[in-house]
Amino acid sequence: MTSARPDVAHGEPVPDNDAIGLPVLYSPDVVAQAFGLPSANWLEEAARQKRIPHTRIGRRLRFTRAQVDLAIQLCTIPQDTPEQPTQVRQRRTTIAQKAQSRRLQARIPARMRKAALSQGPRP
């Protein structure tokens, strides 16, 4: 069975992928439009970082229906589990403790150290 869409290169009808047994592949623009996204940038970024399943044919990014469904599941936030409050990390030392800790002491400039060494010990 052939579809009505012509092959761009030859002008001949292309058989449906289902008839051949190949999966239907969707471009990022089509998937972004189906998701209601303004552009495909998020999909391309998520695929590059391997956060969502995808297929690369050459350099072209494509998605199967199963990958689109799995991406939706991966991005779904479950409603039945209450969100865990994030714990605030405690500082190891407080500002008051730092003030009580050892104070920095300025180094004696090198020229003064050299002058003190050249004069020798004082009696």
Side-chain angles (χ1 to χ4, degrees):
M1 174 180 227
T2 60
S3 68
R5 63 189 164 123
D7 186 0
V8 177
H10 304 291
E12 300 171 4
V14 176
D16 285 335
N17 287 347
D18 292 336
I20 299 175
L22 296 175
V24 177
L25 298 175
Y26 301 100
S27 70
D29 294 328
V30 172
V31 176
Q33 186 178 9
F35 283 174
L37 299 174
S39 70
N41 291 342
W42 182 86
L43 288 170
E44 293 166 355
E45 181 75 18
R48 187 164 33 87
Q49 293 175 356
K50 298 182 180 170
R51 292 183 302 178
I52 59 172
H54 61 281
T55 301
R56 288 221 179 252
I57 298 178
R59 289 185 164 183
R60 306 279 185 215
L61 178 64
R62 297 290 182 255
F63 299 95
T64 63
R65 178 65 189 188
Q67 290 171 336
V68 171
D69 292 338
L70 187 56
I72 292 171
Q73 288 178 352
L74 291 173
C75 295
T76 301
I77 300 171
Q79 294 295 326
D80 58 322
T81 58
E83 189 173 324
Q84 298 293 329
T86 57
Q87 293 182 348
V88 178
R89 290 177 51 189
Q90 298 293 326
R91 290 184 177 210
R92 291 184 184 170
T93 58
T94 63
I95 296 172
Q97 289 172 337
K98 284 185 179 181
Q100 293 174 357
S101 64
R102 191 180 103 198
R103 296 225 173 229
L104 296 177
Q105 185 175 4
R107 288 178 58 180
I108 299 172
R111 66 177 184 268
M112 293 180 78
R113 286 192 309 251
K114 288 179 184 175
L117 291 175
S118 65
Q119 290 177 0
R122 290 188 171 181

